[in-house]
Amino acid sequence: MADSSFDIVSKVERQEVDNALNQAAKEISQRYDFKNVGASIAWSGDKILMQANSEDRVNAILDVFQSKLVKRGVSLKSLDAGEPQLSGKEYKIFASIEEGISQENAKKVAKIIRDEGPKGVKAQVQGDELRVSSKNRDDLQAVIALLKGKDFDFALQFVNYR
């Protein structure tokens, strides 16, 4: 019998991020506490640019955006927001969406699977994802449960379970 396997990935649905950004922009344009403060949020190339005339306002924009991401099912672990920077008379925050599992993070996950997972489970790094395989499907379920119980500083999804 062939081995069963699944992939561990860290991907973000770009359309969901776009929808969250549009919802945040709409809320910012309508809220009274953001009137006349130059508050805005928009794509700037691959990054998301948030700007307002005070540090508190720009942090509030980030908070609104994060709440919209959570409502749309996007993990906040994939959002990499910088610190507020003063640029002229405005404060700006640049945020980016992190995708893919880095080599060092993939090695950490593979080590956890080797050390704490069931025997006979193999984990191999393939680019920016991790393939986990075993002869026993129950062992794969145990690995998924083990990894869901751990707190990583990056988002994990389990795909291609076969």
Side-chain angles (χ1 to χ4, degrees):
M1 191 173 111
D3 283 2
S4 298
S5 68
F6 67 90
D7 294 334
I8 301 173
V9 297
S10 181
K11 289 197 171 25
V12 175
E13 188 70 39
R14 173 81 178 198
Q15 186 62 50
E16 291 298 331
V17 175
D18 215 26
N19 291 342
L21 186 124
N22 290 336
Q23 286 179 337
K26 186 172 183 176
E27 181 173 324
I28 289 164
S29 70
Q30 293 174 346
R31 274 180 40 179
Y32 70 93
D33 56 334
F34 289 123
K35 293 276 187 239
N36 301 324
V37 295
S40 69
I41 180 170
W43 285 105
S44 174
D46 282 346
K47 295 190 179 295
I48 298 163
L49 170 64
M50 294 163 259
Q51 56 189 15
N53 66 359
S54 75
E55 192 171 349
D56 293 339
R57 290 281 185 261
V58 80
N59 282 326
I61 293 170
L62 178 61
D63 192 44
V64 168
F65 181 54
Q66 287 175 335
S67 70
K68 299 300 179 191
L69 285 174
V70 168
K71 284 182 183 172
R72 293 213 146 270
V74 177
S75 174
L76 290 182
K77 292 178 181 179
S78 59
L79 179 70
D80 182 26
E83 292 298 313
Q85 302 167 337
L86 185 60
S87 173
K89 292 183 176 180
E90 291 194 324
Y91 282 88
K92 295 181 179 184
I93 294 179
F94 285 100
S96 60
I97 302 296
E98 301 293 321
E99 286 193 299
I101 301 174
S102 68
Q103 289 290 327
E104 62 190 44
N105 287 337
K107 288 178 182 173
K108 279 187 215 171
V109 173
K111 183 170 174 20
I112 288 172
I113 292 170
R114 264 194 324 273
D115 295 347
E116 302 177 31
K119 299 294 176 229
V121 175
K122 296 185 284 297
Q124 60 201 80
V125 179
Q126 295 181 330
D128 61 351
E129 56 185 47
L130 194 68
R131 163 110 355 124
V132 180
S133 59
S134 170
K135 293 204 181 304
N136 188 344
R137 286 181 161 236
D138 293 340
D139 288 349
L140 294 180
Q141 292 286 344
V143 168
I144 291 175
L146 169 75
L147 294 177
K148 282 185 177 177
K150 299 285 183 190
D151 186 30
F152 296 104
D153 55 352
F154 53 95
L156 290 181
Q157 291 91 30
F158 306 99
V159 297
N160 295 340
Y161 187 81
R162 42 177 151 248

